[in-house]
């Protein structure tokens, strides 16, 4: 018994609990802005002290509904102060936050809720229909809480749970730092999504490691428009809050509004998709605009063409670094610093691991391959997931040989920089040659007039698979399929050049812009039959 008590006491003293980030900042940065949002055109700022008090109140309010440590709570909410409030209430209460991608179909949302066995669903008023339909037939959901005005007289509102509760610090929870803090569902581009169990330790460590890797400064101001339910956006949010910075939230990306906010809010850091950064280059007057506060520009989810990077450096006066990673290894995992010396011109570089991550290229027998050889990108370190919920086999496969396996192919160049080759499942086998889809995509994006590109393999009776591409053109571009194929021939080997190019108005994407290639493969599966 004495040994157990000593262990519990040690866990309490040594822990790295995600909720302690807010607790600490409320004490040393209490008057600083934690969140800035705009509601009906009005700027609303929430300080660290105010946020922490509301979080403490919500913890006690959730307990009145019978919720306790270990229970899973689903959150359907856009980028608002309430998202951050609910998230930290879960962390402080020892509950498991399940942030739901509300842009999915109702059936997919229902799968998330059912698979996670959530006991409570908190949802934004504007998402009432999705939340209620998805949870209607689930007996395990005991509590439904609406953010905003209730849709029916008996609804519990978030504000009613907060109002009147004691705002004193939560002191009666013992959290082990490997307890699950967030259950994050993968984007499910190939099959049913997996539930990634992310620990308090993983969240806490990445908030520190990424801060060092990106050289973020204390009290910086982060522009946040990617949805917070996504691992990358939330990781950057946690990094900002760890440093006592301000999260300037937006729900819709608008190029002109973004430029205005960069200047008015003195934004010092931002994570955007490449297509978003490119859109900012087209804002009228961008050549004359100045952004003296912006010191850290980051892009992710997709590569950026060299021409756009050069224009962005000129327009914004700073470097543009690439952050990469995945849900299973609490991003950011690797950083490619703008201007880094590299061995291969035009390759898709992911760079070096963050400070708490080890990185290696592993063969199928678990051996680290020599520099310059291709294999699977693997990582290890405290940012790794606990595992996949209810999927022991997948969890076991992901951690073979003492490494976390990314399912991505890559190599390390002579400067120690990681080169991403392709997703294992996206590598195209054409005429006996391996074709990296991302290399073809990069060539397509280098063609003036091509805005987005997705390359995929389609079954072919002679070539095994034929390289095909779907592209979106810039407004006003008059490129056709023949033009694009001819341009590819100038940069790619014959076996890499797409056999067909489809000009689309839109591409199937997840909420964060990840192109769903299985949809394209299915759409064109009978092309060569």
């Amino acid at each position: 018994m004495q040994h157990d008590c000593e262990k519990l006491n040690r866990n309490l003293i040594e822990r790295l609990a995600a909720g302690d980030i807010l607790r600490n900042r409320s004490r040393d940065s209490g008057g600083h802005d934690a969140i800035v949002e705009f509601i009906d055109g009005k700027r609303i700022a929430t300080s660290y002290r105010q946020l922490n008090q509301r979080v403490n109140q919500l913890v006690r309010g959730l307990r009145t509904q019978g919720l306790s440590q270990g229970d899973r709570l689903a959150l359907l909410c856009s980028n608002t102060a309430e998202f951050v409030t609910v998230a930290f209430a879960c962390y402080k209460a020892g509950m498991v936050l399940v942030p739901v991608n509300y842009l999915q179909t109702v059936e997919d949302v229902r799968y998330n809720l059912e698979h996670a066995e959530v006991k409570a669903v908190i949802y934004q008023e504007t998402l009432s229909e999705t939340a209620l339909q998805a949870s209607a037939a689930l007996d395990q959901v005991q509590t439904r809480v609406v953010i905003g005005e209730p849709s029916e007289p008996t609804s519990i509102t978030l504000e009613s749970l907060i109002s009147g509760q004691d705002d004193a610090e939560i002191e009666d929870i013992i959290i082990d730092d490997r307890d699950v803090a967030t259950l994050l569902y993968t984007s499910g581009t190939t099959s049913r999504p997996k539930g990634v169990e992310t620990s308090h330790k993983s969240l806490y460590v990445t908030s520190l490691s990424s801060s060092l890797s990106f050289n973020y400064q204390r009290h910086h101001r982060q522009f946040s428009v990617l949805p917070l339910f996504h691992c990358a956006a939330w990781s950057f949010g946690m990094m900002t809050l760890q440093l006592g910075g301000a999260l300037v939230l937006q729900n819709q990306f608008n190029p002109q509004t973004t430029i205005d906010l960069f200047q008015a809010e003195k934004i010092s850091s931002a994570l955007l998709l490449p297509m978003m950064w490119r859109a900012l280059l087209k804002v009228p007057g961008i050549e004359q605009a100045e952004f003296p506060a912006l010191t850290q520009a980051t892009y992710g989810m997709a590569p950026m063409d060299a021409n756009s990077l050069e224009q962005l450096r000129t327009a914004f006066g700073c470097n543009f670094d690439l952050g990469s990673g995945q849900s299973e290894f609490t991003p950011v995992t690797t950083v490619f610093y703008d201007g880094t010396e590299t061995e291969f011109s035009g390759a898709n570089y992911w760079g070096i691991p963050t400070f708490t991550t080890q990185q290696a290229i592993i063969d199928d027998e678990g051996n680290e391959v020599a520099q310059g050889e291709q294999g699977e990108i693997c990582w290890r370190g405290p940012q790794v997931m606990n595992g996949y919920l209810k999927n022991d086999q997948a969890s076991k496969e992901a951690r073979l040989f003492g490494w976390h396996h990314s399912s991505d192919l890559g190599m390390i160049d002579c400067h120690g920089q990681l080169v991403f080759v392709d997703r294992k499942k996206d590598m195209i086998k054409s005429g006996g040659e391996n074709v990296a889809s991302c290399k073809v995509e990069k060539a397509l994006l280098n063609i003036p007039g091509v805005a987005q590109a997705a390359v995929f393999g389609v079954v072919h009776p002679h070539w095994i698979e034929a390289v095909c591409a779907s592209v979106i053109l810039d407004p006003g571009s008059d490129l056709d399929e023949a033009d694009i194929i001819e341009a590819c021939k100038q940069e790619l080997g014959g076996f890499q050049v797409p056999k067909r190019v489809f000009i689309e108005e839109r591409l199937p994407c997840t909420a964060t812009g990840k192109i769903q290639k299985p949809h394209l493969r299915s759409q064109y599966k009978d092309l060569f039959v």
Side-chain angles (χ1 to χ4, degrees):
M1 178 64 73
Q2 182 179 358
H3 175 76
D4 290 342
C5 290
E6 289 176 355
K7 182 179 178 181
L8 285 173
N9 193 41
R10 187 172 67 251
N11 286 345
L12 181 61
I13 295 171
E14 296 178 352
R15 74 182 188 183
L16 294 174
D20 289 343
I21 292 174
L22 180 58
R23 173 191 177 120
N24 296 341
R25 296 297 79 79
S26 71
R27 295 182 174 190
D28 60 37
S29 303
H32 286 261
D33 288 346
I35 302 168
V36 176
E37 58 187 334
F38 299 85
I39 301 175
D40 297 329
K42 182 180 179 182
R43 182 184 187 276
I44 299 176
T46 304
S47 72
Y48 277 91
R49 185 175 298 110
Q50 292 169 327
L51 178 61
N52 191 57
Q53 289 170 342
R54 282 179 62 81
V55 165
N56 293 338
Q57 289 177 300
L58 181 55
V59 170
R60 294 181 170 91
L62 292 172
R63 288 173 174 176
T64 67
Q65 301 303 306
L67 296 167
S68 60
Q69 186 171 8
D71 289 341
R72 301 187 187 112
L73 186 154
L75 175 62
L76 286 79
C77 184
S78 61
N79 290 6
T80 66
E82 285 82 2
F83 185 105
V84 182
T85 301
V86 173
F88 274 91
C90 286
Y91 297 157
K92 284 197 175 193
M95 299 172 191
V96 179
L97 173 70
V98 185
V100 176
N101 176 356
Y102 51 80
L103 299 176
Q104 302 174 100
T105 65
V106 171
E107 179 55 37
D108 287 336
V109 172
R110 180 183 294 113
Y111 173 81
N112 292 169
L113 304 183
E114 185 173 22
H115 186 263
E117 298 182 29
V118 300
K119 288 192 176 180
V121 178
I122 298 182
Y123 58 93
Q124 207 166 355
E125 177 188 355
T126 54
L127 301 173
S128 295
E129 184 175 353
T130 296
L132 295 177
Q133 286 185 21
S135 65
L138 302 180
D139 293 336
Q140 81 265 14
V141 178
Q142 301 172 3
T143 304
R144 294 171 179 81
V145 180
V146 62
I147 301 170
E149 295 299 320
S151 55
E152 52 189 28
T154 58
S155 295
I156 302 171
T157 67
L158 188 74
E159 204 56 44
S160 70
L161 290 182
I162 293 174
S163 180
Q165 296 291 343
D166 185 0
D167 64 10
E169 195 54 67
I170 304 298
E171 299 283 9
D172 57 351
I173 290 290
I174 295 176
I175 294 174
D176 186 279
D177 56 23
R178 269 298 169 195
D179 286 347
V180 178
T182 300
L183 179 61
L184 189 66
Y185 280 83
T186 58
S187 54
T189 57
T190 57
S191 59
R192 282 294 194 186
K194 299 185 186 76
V196 176
E197 296 181 304
T198 302
S199 70
H200 283 262
K201 186 178 199 174
S202 294
L203 288 173
Y204 204 107
V205 168
T206 196
S207 73
L208 295 170
S209 178
S210 296
S211 301
L212 289 170
S213 295
F214 285 107
N215 195 29
Y216 270 32
Q217 301 301 303
R218 190 167 174 79
H219 304 311
H220 72 280
R221 301 180 71 79
Q222 171 82 18
F223 178 77
S224 184
V225 70
L226 297 180
L228 292 176
F229 61 67
H230 187 269
C231 62
W234 187 234
S235 288
F236 272 77
M238 293 288 283
M239 181 187 354
T240 297
L241 297 171
Q242 177 69 267
L243 293 174
L247 276 178
V248 181
L249 300 177
Q250 287 283 287
N251 282 302
Q252 298 291 331
F253 175 71
N254 178 282
Q256 183 64 65
T257 300
T258 299
I259 293 297
D260 293 343
L261 283 174
F262 272 20
Q263 295 177 320
E265 291 293 331
K266 296 181 173 59
I267 296 298
S268 51
S269 56
L271 167 67
L272 297 177
L273 303 177
M275 60 182 292
M276 293 176 172
W277 283 116
R278 285 193 288 264
L280 297 185
L281 291 172
K282 299 176 183 178
V283 173
I286 189 66
E287 297 84 1
Q288 291 76 43
E290 295 184 356
F291 308 92
L294 188 65
T295 58
Q296 181 57 55
T298 310
Y299 63 99
M301 318 290 182
M304 185 95 79
D305 62 283
N307 183 53
S308 293
L309 279 173
E310 185 58 38
Q311 293 181 58
L312 287 164
R313 294 186 198 105
T314 301
F316 292 96
C318 65
N319 287 341
F320 280 73
D321 300 329
L322 169 66
S324 301
Q326 58 181 200
S327 304
E328 290 88 341
F329 209 91
T330 321
V332 177
T333 312
T334 65
V335 183
F336 180 60
Y337 295 106
D338 200 352
T340 297
E341 186 176 8
T342 58
E343 181 177 0
F344 306 108
S345 176
N348 189 358
Y349 274 94
W350 278 13
I352 60 175
T354 53
F355 284 95
T356 54
T357 301
Q358 295 182 58
Q359 180 168 272
I361 305 299
I362 304 295
D363 65 19
D364 290 340
E365 285 72 47
N367 303 304
E368 187 169 354
V369 304
Q371 177 267 318
E373 292 185 12
Q374 183 175 301
E376 185 175 6
I377 300 168
C378 292
W379 299 302
R380 61 186 176 198
Q383 293 169 234
V384 71
M385 66 175 178
N386 285 6
Y388 293 115
L389 179 67
K390 302 178 184 177
N391 197 334
D392 292 340
Q393 182 59 34
S395 299
K396 181 179 179 180
E397 292 171 358
R399 56 173 70 109
L400 282 173
F401 312 118
W403 290 91
H404 170 74
H405 293 253
S406 70
S407 296
D408 292 327
L409 300 173
M411 59 178 287
I412 304 294
D413 80 356
C414 65
H415 299 286
Q417 299 290 320
L418 172 63
V419 179
F420 172 79
V421 175
D422 210 354
R423 294 286 294 169
K424 275 187 172 182
K425 63 178 179 293
D426 288 339
M427 185 69 78
I428 302 166
K429 191 77 169 180
S430 185
E433 299 284 353
N434 287 326
V435 179
S437 64
C438 63
K439 181 174 183 178
V440 183
E441 287 165 359
K442 194 158 190 175
L444 288 164
L445 290 172
N446 283 334
I447 301 172
V450 174
Q452 286 184 267
V455 172
F456 52 96
V458 174
V459 174
H460 192 281
H462 177 69
W463 299 110
I464 302 176
E465 285 186 298
V467 180
C468 295
S470 287
V471 302
I472 296 176
L473 301 180
D474 287 325
S477 173
D478 59 358
L479 288 173
D480 61 19
E481 181 180 19
D483 295 330
I484 295 171
I485 290 176
E486 186 60 33
C488 285
K489 289 178 180 178
Q490 309 307 310
E491 190 172 339
L492 299 170
F495 67 96
Q496 298 167 324
V497 174
K499 300 291 189 294
R500 292 293 309 273
V501 175
F502 306 101
I503 297 173
E504 320 270 12
E505 290 189 4
R506 62 180 60 86
L507 296 175
C509 293
T510 66
T512 51
K514 185 187 296 182
I515 297 172
Q516 296 175 302
K517 291 186 182 180
H519 291 213
L520 295 171
R521 284 192 283 264
S522 176
Q523 181 180 347
Y524 295 108
K525 62 183 175 62
D526 298 325
L527 187 63
F528 299 103
V529 173

